[in-house]
Amino acid sequence: MKLLVVTCLTDHKKVVTNILHKARVSVFSVSETTGIKDDHDLNLLDDWFGNKDGEYDSLMFFSFTNAEAAGQTMQLITQYNLEQPSGFPIRAFILSVEQSSYHHA
């Protein structure tokens, strides 16, 4: 089992939702959050919220899913970011789940 985490600007909600459906992530949660950036990193590629200071209405998607769906999501997001470059790329992370109280029948 993997924990898939995706962050994006609120404007990209439909894009991320479509990517998750396409990757066959059938169950996920979405939380509203505010991204704050007030200092530039020396390496602009490492900037979490692009290269502009300020506050940004953002979303965090998360799902406990299988490795295949998580990997497919990562590939689709990477592809989207390459095809639609912006100062605010969609970010994705895959974390291993070591234990869970949930047991799928």
Side-chain angles (χ1 to χ4, degrees):
M1 179 185 313
K2 302 294 183 183
L3 171 58
L4 173 66
V5 180
V6 179
T7 62
C8 67
L9 294 179
T10 302
D11 294 346
H12 293 119
K13 182 178 184 178
K14 286 185 180 182
V15 171
V16 174
T17 299
N18 287 337
I19 287 173
L20 292 171
H21 287 301
K22 193 173 193 179
R24 298 188 179 180
V25 176
S26 58
V27 177
F28 57 89
S29 299
V30 182
S31 295
E32 294 180 6
T33 186
T34 301
I36 298 174
K37 180 158 183 356
D38 61 6
D39 189 22
H40 291 292
D41 195 343
L42 293 177
N43 180 355
L44 292 179
L45 294 176
D46 291 336
D47 281 350
W48 184 261
F49 290 104
N51 55 11
K52 299 178 183 176
D53 290 346
E55 292 187 13
Y56 304 94
D57 292 332
S58 303
L59 299 173
M60 180 179 290
F61 294 74
F62 60 95
S63 177
F64 293 96
T65 190
N66 62 55
E68 183 179 334
Q72 180 67 19
T73 301
M74 185 69 72
Q75 289 176 358
L76 291 169
I77 288 173
T78 299
Q79 180 181 350
Y80 177 84
N81 286 336
L82 289 172
E83 293 173 358
Q84 306 290 326
S86 77
F88 303 93
I90 297 170
R91 306 282 189 184
F93 307 89
I94 300 171
L95 304 162
S96 294
V97 177
E98 291 183 27
Q99 292 183 330
S100 171
S101 64
Y102 173 75
H103 298 285
H104 187 5

